[in-house]
Amino acid sequence: MTTKRLMIIGYGAMAQEVHRLLPAGLELAWVVVPESQVTLTRERLDAGVEVLTSVAQCEERPELVVECAGQPGLAEHGEAVLARGLTLAIVATGALADEGLYGRLRQAAEAGSGRMLVLSGAVAGMDGLAAAREGGLESVTYEACKAPRSWKGSHAEQLVDLDALHEATVFYEGTAGEAARLFPANANVAATIALAGIGMQATTVRLTADPAATRNTHRIHVKGRFGEFRIELNGRPLEHNPKTSMLAALSVVRACRQVLDPVTV
């Protein structure tokens, strides 16, 4: 079997976990990072992996390009990937709440025959949600529940006294679009659900701080012509980056495996 080649944008904790778990038959050939990270990234990688600062420096054609660089990385490099007719797997889906960026990426994909692959990330059931949308959806609600310390440094501090909580407290309820803007570090799940379902403005997001929480909990409640479903996930973070979900990294690995597998499930 001919080995296929992968490009990753970014080489932080998630990209390193994806690299470690790459299936046989797919090799990491290119990594795109900011100029300030080139030296350190080269030290972490085998000599056979090219470390670049732009997609344009790659003279070959990757089988798949994976964004593991967060919203800034997607905004900087996404259009260049799609304009070359490549498939771009997106982790930082929260960036797509920016209508301007989403429009530019979509236009680049259409003009270059590229393809945006929105990954499920830290949640499950997006295939079912997208299928249910075809029959019509009445409502989609997403709730994130985390320990107060997990909301430190975010807009939550302006809405509630995180240090004074003694019970689970809902401190925000609004749309997925607004949540992505106000809570960018927690925007990806809300945006993914909105993209798979009824959009940024029609998706309800509820954020909760719970002093008793030991894991990050995601709850999704969907109603539509198909019926109704509820999903709850209690996710573990990556060992080397507690702000990143292990399941999000594994969703990238799955996308990589699908490049090789003639059967997609």
Side-chain angles (χ1 to χ4, degrees):
M1 180 176 66
T2 302
T3 298
K4 296 184 177 181
R5 309 181 81 193
L6 172 74
M7 173 186 286
I8 297 181
I9 299 173
Y11 201 70
M14 177 182 286
Q16 291 170 49
E17 182 70 9
V18 171
H19 188 189
R20 187 179 73 82
L21 296 175
L22 278 182
L26 185 65
E27 69 174 7
L28 179 61
W30 304 275
V31 169
V32 179
V33 296
E35 184 69 46
S36 61
Q37 297 178 18
V38 167
T39 300
L40 177 60
T41 303
R42 281 183 177 146
E43 292 173 354
R44 289 173 169 168
L45 291 165
D46 295 333
V49 182
E50 290 188 61
V51 180
L52 314 174
T53 58
S54 74
V55 175
Q57 292 173 338
C58 176
E59 298 179 353
E60 300 178 55
R61 186 177 180 85
E63 193 70 29
L64 177 68
V65 181
V66 176
E67 170 274 309
C68 289
Q71 297 186 24
L74 177 59
E76 182 176 357
H77 301 290
E79 290 176 74
V81 173
L82 296 167
R84 288 180 62 172
L86 302 174
T87 297
L88 174 62
I90 298 174
V91 179
T93 55
L96 302 180
D98 180 335
E99 294 181 2
L101 175 60
Y102 179 80
R104 291 193 298 275
L105 291 173
R106 189 179 184 93
Q107 185 175 31
E110 291 173 348
S113 298
R115 181 168 173 255
M116 285 194 288
L117 180 61
V118 177
L119 301 182
S120 57
V123 290
M126 295 302 96
D127 52 348
L129 175 56
R133 178 181 62 194
E134 299 297 334
L137 293 171
E138 297 170 14
S139 65
V140 178
T141 301
Y142 162 61
E143 179 177 345
C145 181
K146 304 179 182 182
R149 66 180 179 276
S150 297
W151 296 110
K152 290 288 184 74
S154 77
H155 182 65
E157 292 183 316
Q158 299 180 39
L159 304 176
V160 65
D161 185 348
L162 295 170
D163 294 322
L165 296 181
H166 299 290
E167 61 183 6
T169 302
V170 176
F171 60 84
Y172 172 84
E173 184 167 349
T175 67
E178 182 182 57
R181 178 175 59 82
L182 294 177
F183 303 91
N186 301 279
N188 289 342
V189 173
T192 299
I193 293 168
L195 290 165
I198 53 178
M200 296 290 175
Q201 302 312 312
T203 302
T204 298
V205 173
R206 189 175 297 119
L207 304 180
T208 302
D210 184 357
T214 57
R215 292 185 186 174
N216 295 342
T217 298
H218 305 285
R219 298 186 182 96
I220 307 166
H221 184 198
V222 178
K223 292 181 181 180
R225 181 167 172 262
F226 76 99
E228 180 177 2
F229 72 71
R230 298 175 187 267
I231 297 174
E232 178 174 317
L233 298 96
N234 296 287
R236 288 189 172 130
L238 280 177
E239 181 179 348
H240 299 296
N241 184 358
K243 293 185 177 181
T244 299
S245 163
M246 170 64 76
L247 188 58
L250 297 178
S251 76
V252 178
V253 177
R254 174 178 178 264
C256 292
R257 189 176 300 281
Q258 288 178 327
V259 169
L260 303 169
D261 200 330
V263 179
T264 299
V265 177

